[in-house]
Amino acid sequence: MARKRIIAGNWKMNMTPSQAAELCATLKDLVVNDNVDVVYCVPAIDIVPVAQAVKDTNVQVGAQNLYIEDKGAYTGEISAPMLVDAGVKYVIIGHSERREYFGETDEFLNKKVKKAFEAGLTPILCCGESLELRERNAYIDWIRLQIRADLDGITADQVKKRVIAYEPIWAIGTGKTATADQAQEVCKIIRDTIAEMYDDATAQEVRIQYGGSMNAGNAAELLSKPDIDGGLIGGASLKPDFGQIVNA
Ligand code: 13P
């Protein structure tokens, strides 16, 4: 089965609402490609203006986080029903920056994944190893553990719909991209782990992205690999280069 490619921009904590609308206008004609799902994962405050700006285009809106309850006394948090009502389709869960700076554990992330599915959102689940784990050659075990923990209790039908992003921490924002072979090796390990947990047919449907200093220059080679179905792009998603990645 051919998996549709998915190129998502992770804007991180960048773009005020007015800058966000301008960026959508700049990218509008550059990201047109019916063979690719294009997603902008934007700061919460930008969701409404971006949803408005990409209306009637091929671009879908994603969030960067959600909370595990639907409503109530959780000051500062945003719930899945709020995201859905605002037009959000995807949500990044478990980015290494949230794991590192906000102490999010696999157990907590697993609850977020379940909440996303319950609300009808597609999670983009991130995993990835530190430089230290890579240099110790412990990254394969680490990735397997992350995938198993974050997918605990998720059904095969849900897993098929989700997106998984492999983002080696040492490649994020560093300009140091994993080679296409390094990225392919881990994306295949992720797929094999899902085949072990579920079955091969399920694993073949899951879309797996690479993320980490992906740009207009290296995207085509990364995307040529059999288990890399797309990209999760940080810095380059804020520039016209993003259009080149979509069309790479
Ligand atoms: P960069 O593309 O800036 O390295 O960021 C990758 C990333 O963290 C996407 O989620």
Side-chain angles (χ1 to χ4, degrees):
M1 199 203 83
R3 295 179 292 268
K4 190 172 183 190
R5 291 187 181 279
I6 174 163
I7 303 289
N10 175 5
W11 291 11
K12 307 194 179 184
M13 198 175 73
N14 295 294
M15 298 286 134
T16 63
S18 37
Q19 289 169 334
E22 272 173 43
L23 180 60
C24 289
T26 305
L27 294 178
K28 191 171 177 218
D29 296 330
L30 305 176
V31 297
V32 178
N33 186 333
D34 288 341
N35 299 319
V36 181
D37 282 332
V38 180
V39 186
Y40 298 164
C41 298
V42 306
I45 197 163
D46 295 340
I47 287 171
V48 171
V50 168
Q52 185 62 35
V54 302
K55 218 169 143 197
D56 304 322
T57 75
N58 60 319
V59 176
Q60 295 182 298
V61 186
Q64 298 175 9
N65 192 19
L66 53 65
Y67 191 58
I68 57 173
E69 300 294 342
D70 286 344
K71 61 177 181 169
Y74 304 100
T75 303
E77 292 299 314
I78 297 206
S79 73
M82 291 171 182
L83 297 178
V84 170
D85 188 67
V88 170
K89 302 284 185 231
Y90 292 85
V91 57
I92 297 175
I93 294 179
H95 193 280
S96 59
E97 286 150 17
R98 293 216 57 90
R99 295 179 191 256
E100 183 180 350
Y101 305 138
F102 303 98
E104 294 193 356
T105 61
D106 285 317
E107 194 189 352
F108 184 50
L109 295 170
N110 177 254
K111 289 186 183 155
K112 290 192 175 192
V113 170
K114 287 177 178 155
K115 179 52 74 176
F117 277 123
E118 191 187 303
L121 293 163
T122 300
I124 299 177
L125 175 73
C126 301
C127 62
E129 81 285 358
S130 62
L131 186 58
E132 195 255 334
L133 285 169
R134 176 152 287 260
E135 285 176 344
R136 276 205 283 121
N137 222 10
Y139 61 100
I140 291 179
D141 288 344
W142 174 259
I143 297 290
R144 285 180 179 280
L145 281 175
Q146 278 192 326
I147 294 294
R148 286 189 171 271
D150 298 340
L151 293 183
D152 186 45
I154 306 293
T155 67
D157 274 348
Q158 290 173 327
V159 169
K160 281 181 198 168
K161 284 186 216 124
R162 69 173 317 132
V163 179
I164 296 182
Y166 168 54
E167 298 208 314
I169 297 169
W170 46 272
I172 296 178
T174 57
K176 196 173 159 190
T177 324
T179 64
D181 286 339
Q182 284 174 323
Q184 162 61 22
E185 181 197 26
V186 177
C187 290
K188 177 158 189 329
I189 285 161
I190 293 170
R191 202 177 302 287
D192 289 348
T193 306
I194 293 168
E196 284 160 28
M197 293 175 71
Y198 300 89
D199 52 58
D200 197 47
T202 302
Q204 288 306 321
E205 286 197 39
V206 177
R207 293 189 290 177
I208 303 176
Q209 297 174 313
Y210 167 78
S213 300
M214 197 163 172
N215 58 41
N218 59 31
E221 195 189 348
L222 287 158
L223 293 168
S224 72
K225 294 293 175 183
D227 287 293
I228 303 180
D229 306 313
L232 185 56
I233 327 292
S237 70
L238 302 170
K239 299 187 277 192
D241 294 39
F242 189 67
Q244 284 169 263
I245 300 174
V246 168
N247 290 295

